[in-house]
Amino acid sequence: MIEVKNLFKRYGKNTVLNGIDFELNIGEIVGFIGPNGSGKSTTMKCMVGLVYPDKGEILVEGKPVNPKKHESLKKVSAMIEAPGLYHNLSGLENLKLFASLNKVENEKIEEIIGLINLGKGLEKKTKNYSMGMKQRLAFGITLLSSPDYLILDEPFNGLDPEGVFSFREEIVNLASSGCGILISSHQLMELEKLVTRKIFIKNGQLVDSLHDISNGNKVYKILLNKDEMSKNFDNIKNCFEKMKTDKLISRYYLNESDVVVFINNVEDLSKLMQNVLLQQLNIYGVLPVADEIEELYRLIYEEELV
């Protein structure tokens, strides 16, 4: 288990991490989600000793990660930000160089070569690689040490659809074999297909679940006509503002073809619907908001949530 305990980090006057706590267990795939600047990369760098927190600690199977003692990181491998490759070496030369640093046998190198599927591209210098080829090679390098924990920051960057499918399959296989994986990506739909658990970070703090986001309210999505929403946007917004003032709802979110509402009591949903119908709008459905990445992302980060 990797334990992230009460992590704080400041750069000047800017607080980047503000009390981060979570665990990464063997065999799970955890989605680490948030927009740029939310603290994802800093957290991941702290986890592998590239950045040291001002307060708090990282434990890998009970051993602390610190500037003077890195034994704990022998079981951890990471791919964070741009792949760190030697651009004047070929892909194969890069692979063999990193293998020598980890004292990896040729059998493992051959396994990785088959896995990353670069073919004759391994003979080319990596300065001539596409972004997708660099990602695949960097991913192979992270696996040379057969890590128990894998930390991946934006691993889908530059991958074509076939590369994404192959990567997704390999991640699932790694988790099934007992590797704990923390993965951050802006490609939310791909994360939804992969992860067994998700963690959201906003302004250096974690938001763990729909219940946390909603403050215990019930959350529903009202499906409306896109054209009607566009033509009547001001009236619709005024309608929901009034319901908020009347405490029929606590918050709402206006999208181009639906409205997400937070209500205290399910019984109030019928009153809400009556108010919407008075605006002479066609309602196509009412759905409870699911605990899905894309829906949660909208609720946590979208500016129009009021």
Side-chain angles (χ1 to χ4, degrees), residues 25-176:
N25 298 295
I26 288 289
E28 67 175 350
I29 306 171
V30 178
F32 194 34
I33 305 153
N36 293 335
S38 59
K40 299 190 309 297
S41 292
T42 300
T43 302
M44 297 172 104
K45 288 176 181 177
C46 287
M47 292 175 73
V48 295
L50 295 175
V51 170
Y52 295 101
D54 300 325
K55 181 181 176 183
E57 61 180 347
I58 311 290
L59 300 177
V60 180
E61 297 187 352
K63 297 180 180 179
V65 174
N66 61 57
K68 298 180 181 179
K69 193 174 181 180
H70 283 275
E71 285 85 351
S72 59
L73 292 177
K74 290 181 179 179
K75 296 185 177 184
V76 183
S77 193
M79 187 170 75
I80 298 176
E81 295 183 345
L85 305 173
Y86 293 94
H87 297 302
N88 286 323
L89 299 180
S90 70
L92 183 58
E93 288 169 335
N94 268 276
L95 200 58
K96 288 184 175 180
L97 175 60
F98 284 99
S100 68
L101 296 175
N102 289 283
K103 299 179 180 179
V104 174
E105 297 181 356
N106 286 334
E107 183 179 345
K108 183 66 176 181
I109 297 174
E110 292 301 319
E111 177 188 331
I112 298 299
I113 288 173
L115 177 70
I116 60 180
N117 196 28
L118 284 172
K120 292 185 177 180
L122 281 171
E123 301 171 8
K124 299 179 181 179
K125 291 184 177 182
T126 58
K127 67 181 179 181
N128 298 317
Y129 274 20
S130 67
M131 185 59 187
M133 293 173 72
K134 291 177 182 178
Q135 289 290 93
R136 285 154 67 183
L137 178 59
F139 180 59
I141 290 170
T142 65
L143 300 180
L144 283 170
S145 60
S146 301
D148 290 337
Y149 304 96
L150 195 56
I151 297 172
L152 304 172
D153 189 11
E154 298 296 342
F156 299 111
N157 280 356
L159 295 181
D160 58 20
E162 184 178 346
V164 171
F165 302 153
S166 176
F167 174 82
R168 195 167 64 213
E169 181 180 0
E170 183 57 31
I171 288 296
V172 171
N173 290 339
L174 284 168
S176 298

